[in-house]
Amino acid sequence: LKRLGGRENLSKWADLITALDLNDPVAINNIIRMTQQPKFVDYLTEYFINSILSGPAPHFRNALGNTGALLAGLPERGLAAGVERVLAPVQGRAIERFWDEVPVAAIGALHGIDEGVRGALQVLKTGQRMQEATKVELLEFRTRAFTGTLGRVINAPTNAMEAADAFFYSVNFRASLASNVVRQAKSEGLTGQRLIDRIAELKSVPTEGLLERAAKEAETRLFRNDPGLIINELMRWRTRWPPLRFIMPFVRTPANLITFGLARSPAGFL
């Protein structure tokens, strides 16, 4: 109650929350900021993280990794379709992966470029990301400490990285969605005009499952997916002990990079 200004302000907060647009990350961030007061360690950590990302090298590596993960999706889909052609008959089941996923994923990625550019510009303009996950791990559970003109200057490196990820998220999302639409339609055993109509239907009104799979793959190819129990526990310890933020500023992304690489190596068969 003290943080909200006492009981006399409860009605005001109720009105603000009732009028809140849950699809507007900027509005949500403003509400959160009104209830949070950054501590000294928050300012220190924010400055430290931005100083690490202030040079061109981190952004080059981020763009290179994102591009590599995006492009890897095309041969991976082709390889999966090829292996499926062999395994499915042996296992006595219907084929679930298809060659057609490759070209439609490429087309989907191209269609995601415009959306990605708009998303990146939105991040640069507002400093707010559209997705919950982020490589800048200190931003997941709180808003930025520095605000105003000074905040925009100090947070320029993290905003730039968030903008790049916003771009690649949209491209990966559209590629995955297009691929999964074709996969689902063909898995239903449809052919000819019925297949074309079903693909058009799923593209127009994708199911919740299709959207969830596309979002999950987009996060995976940005190395922002859930890293698992051990890494999550390590991140919780870092939250409890603020000095660990300076020893381990980034945990999830390096862990996911290793997992992503191992899954696509001979070790992935183990």
Side-chain angles (χ1 to χ4, degrees):
L1 284 177
K2 289 182 179 179
R3 180 176 294 182
L4 298 179
R7 294 182 181 276
E8 60 274 12
N9 285 330
L10 284 180
S11 60
K12 181 189 74 172
W13 281 101
D15 292 339
L16 286 173
I17 293 173
T18 300
L20 181 64
D21 181 1
L22 296 179
N23 295 315
D24 186 349
V26 177
I28 294 173
N29 180 75
N30 290 336
I31 289 289
I32 295 174
R33 185 177 296 281
M34 293 169 68
T35 66
Q36 291 182 340
Q37 291 298 323
K39 300 177 181 179
F40 175 74
V41 69
D42 295 324
Y43 288 98
L44 192 60
T45 305
E46 191 164 298
Y47 182 84
F48 174 67
I49 295 297
N50 279 281
S51 67
I52 293 176
L53 301 176
S54 60
H59 300 277
F60 175 77
R61 288 193 294 267
N62 183 55
L64 186 64
N66 288 348
T67 302
L70 169 66
L71 295 178
L74 297 179
E76 284 175 9
R77 288 180 171 88
L79 180 61
V83 172
E84 183 74 356
R85 290 281 177 177
V86 177
L87 285 183
V90 172
Q91 296 174 347
R93 58 177 176 79
I95 293 176
E96 299 175 353
R97 300 298 301 268
F98 306 93
W99 299 110
D100 292 344
E101 294 180 42
V102 180
V104 297
I107 294 171
L110 292 175
H111 288 169
I113 290 177
D114 179 65
E115 181 180 325
V117 169
R118 287 187 277 110
L121 292 175
Q122 178 72 7
V123 172
L124 292 175
K125 178 181 178 181
T126 66
Q128 304 302 320
R129 62 189 185 280
M130 297 300 293
Q131 292 77 42
E132 180 181 355
T134 171
K135 286 181 180 144
V136 188
E137 295 164 13
L138 85 158
L139 297 179
E140 283 194 311
F141 305 108
R142 67 168 181 82
T143 57
R144 298 183 187 272
F146 292 98
T147 59
T149 302
L150 178 62
R152 294 187 67 83
V153 173
I154 291 178
N155 287 301
T158 51
N159 281 342
M161 183 161 289
E162 290 292 325
D165 281 0
F167 171 80
F168 280 100
Y169 179 90
S170 294
V171 176
N172 277 300
F173 180 88
R174 291 301 169 187
S176 178
L177 183 60
S179 173
N180 281 304
V181 161
V182 169
R183 186 189 309 173
Q184 178 168 324
K186 299 201 73 170
S187 294
E188 293 172 1
L190 303 175
T191 57
Q193 188 60 45
R194 293 180 63 196
L195 175 63
I196 295 174
D197 292 342
R198 179 58 171 158
I199 290 175
E201 177 188 358
L202 290 173
K203 286 176 64 177
S204 176
V205 187
T207 66
E208 184 176 343
L210 287 172
L211 295 174
E212 288 178 353
R213 287 197 293 274
K216 183 177 181 180
E217 181 174 347
E219 295 292 5
T220 298
R221 294 191 181 279
L222 289 177
F223 318 109
R224 303 190 312 193
N225 53 298
D226 186 342
L229 179 63
I230 295 176
I231 300 302
N232 282 330
E233 185 60 30
L234 183 60
M235 293 172 66
R236 280 191 286 270
W237 272 99
R238 186 185 58 181
T239 300
R240 298 188 193 107
W241 298 87
L244 290 178
R245 301 178 189 178
F246 302 96
I247 300 173
M248 302 181 296
F250 305 104
V251 177
R252 180 180 50 228
T253 300
N256 282 336
L257 272 165
I258 294 172
T259 303
F260 188 90
L262 288 176
R264 289 155 177 79
S265 73
F269 293 98
L270 300 179

